[in-house]
């Protein structure tokens, strides 16, 4: 397998950062293909904790080429801050390349994201308020400012002027806010452009060359399947395509060049933000999982909603991503629970639903049908081999394989690199 896609199979926060970091030790190229600094990957390496938002986790390996693809949205201020922070901690970022076709998050995107979330009140989406949605909206409206535009002062000025005229009208007339200052933004962003320039490239060419040279390439998904704009729990989704299909568009690579897709599955399930969540645990077990699993957002610090593993979600994720294997994370967090539950379908108005529904009105009323399994008492955070896991933990994993139809390639039993059980290497 030389070109591996790793995606989140739930609502994001599955622990992709840790899995990608682990796999990245063998990768020659690591690619982000969608999203922006709404994502947050926590990686623990060499006793240090790194919180990455935009830069691929592969950056911690000095020889790995790290690509931020055309399908991403870049907040220049944030990515430069991330570069500075890494450099300060002795991490070399000279192998980072940002696509000239990626779109730039501008201050009005962040402002509009915030205002819209506040305006919607209780009916809000619970976005990360990083300007992600408004930036992708401009991209689709074909008025966005791409990184290649940002680097050309004349073009940047022209596009910013046109955009700001409209955005300021919206800010003033619809939201009753102060307009934004054109010259201030222009000057500030021209400075960012100068600093970003050495990192900017036509990343599709770099990728093409890597494919031709048969290099090991890892595509790193951000967010998760159910946050996909097309296939997720719309409208409680992000504005990009975290599913495996998003790789082709967001990185500029043909589907024939993808060798394998691994889905990262947390041993339970969490979500941040709003939207129906059939297996949500609003009791002590939910709180226990949140505390033990440190289920607080990397980007926003928000407490994550926690629930039992949902096989309906897993089956759906396996189907729409073409999952060939699964990496199960945070299995250690479930240790000590006497009984574990897996949701194997829903009951909706007296009917059994086996496939994940499109309608949120249906999903909201779905009652999970649970299968109960015995838990394990042992602390498994030091287990290094699959065969040494407690019998009940293995049974739980085997059930995950059965319901998803994909084999388990890795099991993570703690945040550190060496707390990873490799069942079958995929890169
Ligand atoms: P946005 O991506 O900031 O527009 O937020 C849209 C939805 O996606 C909200 O429910 C967010 O909480 C969720 N979301 C965005 N990024 C992440 C992530 O990295 N992990 C989990 N949820 C996310």
């Amino acid at each position: 397998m030389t070109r591996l896609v790793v995606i989140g199979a739930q609502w994001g926060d599955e622990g992709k950062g840790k899995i990608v970091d682990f796999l990245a030790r063998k990768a020659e190229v690591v690619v982000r293909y969608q999203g922006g600094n709404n994502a947050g990957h926590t990686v623990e390496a060499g006793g240090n904790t790194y919180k990455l938002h935009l830069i691929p986790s592969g950056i911690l390996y000095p020889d790995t080429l790290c690509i931020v693809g055309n399908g991403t949205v870049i907040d220049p201020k944030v990515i430069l801050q991330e570069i500075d922070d890494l450099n300060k901690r002795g991490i070399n970022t000279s192998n980072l390349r940002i696509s000239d076709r990626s779109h730039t998050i501008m201050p009005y995107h962040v402002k509009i994201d915030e205002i819209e979330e506040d305006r919607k009140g209780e009916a809000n989406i619970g976005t990360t308020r990083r300007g992600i949605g408004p930036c992708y909206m401009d991209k689709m409206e074909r008025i966005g400012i791409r990184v290649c535009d940002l680097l050309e002062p004349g073009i940047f000025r022209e596009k910013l002027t046109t955009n700001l005229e409209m955005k300021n009208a919206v800010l003033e007339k619809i939201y009753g806010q102060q307009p934004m200052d054109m010259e201030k933004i222009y000057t500030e962003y021209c400075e960012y452009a100068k600093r970003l320039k050495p990192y900017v490239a036509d990343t599709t060419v770099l990728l093409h060359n890597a494919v031709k040279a048969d290099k090991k390439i890892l595509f790193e998904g951000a967010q998760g399947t159910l946050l996909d704009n097309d296939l997720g729990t719309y409208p409680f989704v992000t504005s990009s395509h975290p599913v495996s299909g998003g790789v082709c568009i967001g990185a500029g690579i043909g589907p024939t060049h993808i060798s394998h897709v691994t889905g990262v599955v947390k041993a339970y399930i969490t979500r941040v933000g709003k939207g129906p969540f059939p297996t949500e645990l609003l009791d002590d077990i939910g709180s226990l999982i949140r505390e033990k699993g440190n289920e607080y957002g990397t980007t926003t610090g928000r407490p994550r909603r926690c629930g039992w593993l949902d096989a309906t979600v897993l089956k759906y994720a396996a189907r729409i991503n073409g999952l060939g294997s699964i990496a199960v994370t945070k299995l250690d967090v479930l240790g000590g629970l006497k009984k574990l539950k897996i949701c194997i379908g829903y009951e909706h108005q007296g009917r059994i639903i086996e496939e994940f529904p499109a309608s949120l009105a249906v999903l909201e009323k779905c009652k999970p049908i649970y299968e109960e399994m015995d838990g394990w008492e042992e602390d498994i955070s030091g287990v290094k081999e699959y065969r040494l896991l407690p019998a009940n933990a293995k049974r739980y994993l085997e059930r995950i394989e059965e319901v998803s139809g994909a084999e388990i390639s890795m099991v993570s039993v703690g945040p550190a690199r060496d707390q990873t059980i490799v069942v079958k290497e995929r890169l």
Side-chain angles (χ1 to χ4, degrees), residues 11-13 38-40 125-128 132-133 223 227 237-238 272-273 302:
W11 270 296
D13 308 316
N38 47 349
I125 289 172
T127 73
T128 59
I132 308 294
Q223 288 86 42
L227 291 173
V237 291
T238 192
V272 281
R302 288 181 287 179

Side-chain angles (χ1 to χ4, degrees), residues 1 4-7 9 260-265 318 322-328 401 404-410 424-426:
M1 304 286 173
L4 174 67
V5 176
V6 175
I7 56 97
H260 187 87
V261 183
T262 295
V264 183
V265 175
L323 294 188
S325 64
I326 277 179
V328 177
E401 282 190 322
S404 65
E407 58 183 22
I408 289 176
S409 55
M410 292 163 81
K424 190 169 180 180
E425 279 278 12
R426 288 294 182 176

Side-chain angles (χ1 to χ4, degrees), residues 11-14 16 36-41 113 117 125-134 222-224 227 235-240 270-275 299-300 302 304:
W11 270 296
D13 308 316
E14 296 91 352
K16 293 178 295 295
N37 56 310
N38 47 349
H41 286 173
D113 199 358
E117 280 292 281
I125 289 172
T127 73
T128 59
R129 296 173 178 244
R130 301 294 194 263
I132 308 294
Q223 288 86 42
L227 291 173
F236 298 102
V237 291
T238 192
S239 308
S240 65
T270 59
R271 88 172 291 185
V272 281
K274 299 282 193 72
T299 301
T300 57
R302 288 181 287 179
R304 296 177 184 144

Side-chain angles (χ1 to χ4, degrees), residues 167-198:
K167 304 293 178 193
N168 274 342
V170 171
L171 284 175
E172 284 183 282
K173 296 193 177 119
I174 297 183
Y175 298 125
Q177 299 277 324
Q178 289 298 313
M180 291 186 148
D181 187 315
M182 161 78 198
E183 287 309 319
K184 188 168 167 280
I185 299 177
Y186 178 74
T187 314
E188 185 182 340
Y189 279 70
C190 281
E191 277 308 306
Y192 296 148
K194 274 189 214 146
R195 289 201 54 210
L196 279 179
K197 200 169 179 175

Side-chain angles (χ1 to χ4, degrees), residues 72-255:
T72 61
V73 285
I74 312 285
D75 187 325
K77 204 171 171 173
V78 173
I79 201 162
L80 286 167
Q81 182 69 54
E82 214 161 293
I83 291 171
D84 287 346
D85 288 348
L86 285 167
N87 291 163
K88 264 190 225 140
R89 297 175 74 182
I91 307 287
N92 185 347
T93 50
S94 60
N95 279 334
L96 174 69
R97 292 293 174 272
I98 301 164
S99 168
D100 48 6
R101 290 180 172 88
S102 55
H103 278 245
T104 316
I105 299 181
M106 300 299 296
Y108 43 81
H109 293 136
V110 180
K111 183 97 187 146
I112 291 171
D113 199 358
E114 283 168 355
I115 299 174
E116 266 300 303
E117 280 292 281
D118 289 341
R119 188 189 66 79
K120 286 179 184 146
E122 266 306 292
N124 71 359
I125 289 172
T127 73
T128 59
R129 296 173 178 244
R130 301 294 194 263
I132 308 294
C135 182
Y136 277 112
M137 279 164 71
D138 280 3
K139 171 176 173 170
M140 290 306 167
E141 206 181 342
R142 289 148 294 174
I143 56 166
I145 299 174
R146 294 177 302 163
V147 166
C148 61
D149 304 324
L150 182 70
L151 297 192
E152 292 289 336
I155 296 173
F156 177 47
R157 178 175 275 283
E158 203 181 303
K159 288 194 180 245
L160 183 62
T161 307
T162 319
N163 272 291
L164 212 53
E165 265 171 27
M166 190 185 59
K167 304 293 178 193
N168 274 342
V170 171
L171 284 175
E172 284 183 282
K173 296 193 177 119
I174 297 183
Y175 298 125
Q177 299 277 324
Q178 289 298 313
M180 291 186 148
D181 187 315
M182 161 78 198
E183 287 309 319
K184 188 168 167 280
I185 299 177
Y186 178 74
T187 314
E188 185 182 340
Y189 279 70
C190 281
E191 277 308 306
Y192 296 148
K194 274 189 214 146
R195 289 201 54 210
L196 279 179
K197 200 169 179 175
Y199 296 103
V200 178
D202 182 342
T203 52
T204 62
V205 174
L206 301 178
L207 254 182
H208 182 69
N209 292 339
V211 169
K212 273 203 304 197
D214 203 25
K215 294 219 164 139
K216 290 190 165 147
I217 308 175
L218 188 58
F219 297 93
E220 161 182 5
Q223 288 86 42
T225 298
L226 292 184
L227 291 173
D228 186 276
N229 194 266
D230 264 73
L231 293 152
T233 44
Y234 191 91
F236 298 102
V237 291
T238 192
S239 308
S240 65
H241 297 291
V243 295
S244 60
V247 168
C248 295
I249 296 169
I253 189 168

